[in-house]
Amino acid sequence: MIRTDKLSDPTVRAVVDAINSGDRDKYFNLLAPDAVMTDDGSERDLHQWADNEIFISHGHMEVESQSNNGHDLIARYSNDMWGEMRTKWHFEIAGDKVRRIDTGQA
């Protein structure tokens, strides 16, 4: 596993830290106003998805690997709704904000 403080991209590092600490305000402050996301290829409402899949259900990421300058992660993701699964995450970053998140099962 890769410790969160060892993730290459500072914005992605902050997102993972916000997820793992359950810090909803920090997470949403990292998103660009027009940020979008997909989950297993389907577009989702990013705010609703994050509330349900991360914050209400106590989401947690354990990063296995990173690539693409830290913008692509493979992680064990768990929450109270689905249990644990191996997931892939792709982040598009603009400045210090997340513009897009694509996630799904790895």
Side-chain angles (χ1 to χ4, degrees):
M1 294 302 142
I2 300 173
R3 289 187 355 211
T4 304
D5 64 345
K6 299 296 182 188
L7 295 174
S8 299
D9 185 273
T11 303
V12 172
R13 182 171 52 241
V15 168
V16 173
D17 183 60
I19 290 170
N20 289 344
S21 64
D23 191 335
R24 185 181 184 278
D25 290 338
K26 179 179 179 180
Y27 179 86
F28 286 116
N29 284 330
L30 291 164
L31 302 178
D34 60 346
V36 296
M37 80 160 302
T38 64
D39 183 1
D40 283 326
S42 298
E43 287 190 28
R44 304 284 187 212
D45 177 298
L46 178 53
H47 288 80
Q48 182 180 21
W49 184 91
D51 276 335
N52 291 332
E53 300 280 340
I54 298 171
F55 299 108
I56 293 170
S57 60
H58 307 106
H60 186 82
M61 292 177 78
E62 291 184 20
V63 178
E64 293 180 1
S65 64
Q66 63 179 330
S67 59
N68 188 25
N69 296 315
H71 293 173
D72 294 330
L73 306 178
I74 299 293
R76 289 187 201 157
Y77 187 77
S78 61
N79 65 24
D80 295 344
M81 187 182 324
W82 305 109
E84 183 178 303
M85 64 191 83
R86 192 164 188 255
T87 56
K88 60 185 175 182
W89 298 75
H90 171 74
F91 297 90
E92 289 183 18
I93 308 296
D96 62 350
K97 299 290 184 183
V98 176
R99 293 192 60 229
R100 181 180 186 94
I101 301 172
D102 298 296
T103 189
Q105 293 192 45

